[in-house]
Amino acid sequence: MDRDPSEEDSMADLSFEAESPVLPPDELLEGLPSYDWLLQGHGRQVFFPPLEALGRSQEPACWSSVLEHRVPVVTEEVAREALLSFVNSHCCYSSAAAGNLIIQELRQQTLCRYRLETFSESRVSEWTFQPVTNHSVDGPQRGTSPRLWDMKVQVPPMFQEDTRKFQVPHSSLVKECHKCHGRGRYKCSGCHGAGMVRCSSCSGTKRKAKQPRRCHLCSGSGRRRCSTCSGRGNKTCATCKGERKLEHFVQLVIMWKNSLFEFVSPHHLHCPRELLAKARGENLFRDENATVYPIVDFPLQDISLASQRGIEEHSTMLASRARILQQRQTIELIPITEVHYWYQGKTSVYYIYGTDHQVYVADYPERYCCGCTIL
């Protein structure tokens, strides 16, 4: 394929450079007027939220009836039905043992689970760019860019995590594309601008080894059209999409995150704590506000201490990098029953936990394979 030499000279030779979009060099954006507050350091810049005064202190709660609250008692019939339901959901468990074992004792206990959720918003800025199109450029000539915490945005529903990006007003400037140097295209790295490459079938010899006929893939020419650039010898710049110029602007990245602190009251049972953390419980107490305050004078001191510790941890963790929008703390009752049973001369236990009667059994007596995971 023939090309005009002057056209060849107008293309940037970037054969050995990455062809994916790249960031502009730091020096391109340094020292720009009105942007000093956005350019402190390299990469993303984190912006601290403004300090806000706390609201009124929480009214003391009345806990007199909390420990009097009782969940339905698990009977022997309920304990056996729960085990049968568990066994039937596992293909390698025999229901014979669940139906025939002798329940000797039911030890019931109620645990308390404390949860603190903190929904926060953090903001960072970063330089980014896009190809210049026909849209107008919102640069500093139109005004001063607002501080990042002054930008008003729609907040997602509370406790639902999300990340959104916004262009900061009046932060745009137009520069020549730093990848193609304003040419809009560059030489193809596959053929180095020639448009043709050596035939892969005959390796450029025009004939295959030990065959008198010419190569049918290249028609005996020894070269084939470059598949990378379709024989054009050049490619459209992936950075500016052929537009030759880039609009650089400050991008605001807002992250809404939900932090969780969880505590289950101490117990001496052999039921995994991670199961109890996920168990379905019955709500005793719920407090939701812009900020919540530590629970005091709860009948179980461990819960009061956990509340104080959780609120302090979240406050310390988020104070310097995010703004707390909403907090929610709850206390739930988690019923758990330790079932002692006898089967074929051996005694063992299994556990029924949560208001929906989930089962945990560490050593079921009739299990036929080891490929299943007990949940």
Side-chain angles (χ1 to χ4, degrees), residues 341-361:
Y341 68 89
W342 181 91
Y343 183 73
Q344 294 185 347
K346 294 182 179 180
T347 58
S348 190
V349 299
Y350 66 90
Y351 295 93
I352 301 173
Y353 62 93
T355 55
D356 54 350
H357 295 161
Q358 296 296 306
V359 170
Y360 169 74
V361 51

Side-chain angles (χ1 to χ4, degrees), residues 71-242:
V71 294
V73 174
V74 173
T75 63
E76 182 175 326
E77 181 182 0
V78 171
R80 192 178 302 275
E81 288 178 356
L83 181 61
L84 282 168
S85 177
F86 170 81
V87 167
N88 290 333
S89 66
H90 291 73
C91 62
C92 302
Y93 286 41
S94 170
S95 60
N100 297 326
L101 59 79
I102 298 174
I103 295 178
Q104 297 176 316
E105 185 182 5
L106 298 173
R107 297 180 184 174
Q108 302 195 43
Q109 184 175 344
T110 302
L111 306 178
C112 284
R113 178 176 60 203
Y114 170 81
R115 277 180 177 158
L116 170 67
E117 296 173 89
T118 300
F119 188 60
S120 63
E121 174 185 321
S122 61
R123 299 189 176 195
V124 297
S125 71
E126 59 186 12
W127 275 107
T128 188
F129 58 83
Q130 63 186 9
V132 173
T133 56
N134 293 327
H135 71 275
S136 60
V137 175
D138 183 14
Q141 70 278 4
R142 295 191 176 184
T144 303
S145 295
R147 297 283 174 173
L148 296 193
W149 282 101
D150 293 336
M151 291 181 61
K152 304 298 183 182
V153 299
Q154 182 67 40
V155 178
M158 292 297 167
F159 306 105
Q160 291 187 19
E161 295 189 341
D162 197 5
T163 298
R164 299 179 194 169
K165 298 180 179 181
F166 304 89
Q167 183 171 342
V168 175
H170 316 319
S171 66
S172 298
L173 66 158
V174 175
K175 292 287 184 179
E176 178 184 272
C177 177
H178 50 273
K179 178 65 185 290
C180 65
H181 306 296
R183 296 179 176 89
R185 53 201 175 105
Y186 50 82
K187 288 183 181 180
C188 172
S189 60
C191 63
H192 303 291
M196 304 291 287
V197 295
R198 186 169 60 180
C199 177
S200 59
S201 179
C202 66
S203 300
T205 61
K206 304 181 181 181
R207 299 176 186 273
K208 285 193 173 183
K210 300 181 181 180
Q211 291 186 7
R213 296 182 179 181
R214 64 183 182 178
C215 175
H216 67 280
L217 288 179
C218 64
S219 301
S221 66
R223 299 178 68 79
R224 297 180 61 192
R225 186 174 65 174
C226 176
S227 59
T228 303
C229 64
S230 302
R232 291 189 295 270
N234 63 83
K235 293 182 67 177
T236 300
C237 177
T239 300
C240 68
K241 309 297 183 185

Side-chain angles (χ1 to χ4, degrees), residues 248-266:
H248 297 269
F249 59 91
V250 178
Q251 183 169 255
L252 169 64
V253 182
I254 304 182
M255 293 162 284
W256 290 278
K257 293 195 174 183
N258 196 34
S259 303
L260 176 65
F261 176 90
E262 200 166 53
F263 173 82
V264 177
S265 58

Side-chain angles (χ1 to χ4, degrees), residues 24-43 127 173 175 248 250:
D26 292 336
E27 58 269 17
L28 178 65
L29 303 175
E30 288 179 353
L32 296 174
S34 304
Y35 295 93
D36 292 341
W37 63 277
L38 293 168
L39 292 171
Q40 298 172 10
H42 300 286
W127 275 107
L173 66 158
K175 292 287 184 179
H248 297 269
V250 178

Side-chain angles (χ1 to χ4, degrees), residues 293-313:
Y293 292 83
I295 294 172
V296 295
D297 298 330
F298 190 76
L300 296 178
Q301 187 182 17
D302 289 326
I303 295 297
S304 295
L305 294 176
S307 173
Q308 297 173 26
R309 187 167 64 253
I311 292 174
E312 183 179 353
E313 283 185 11

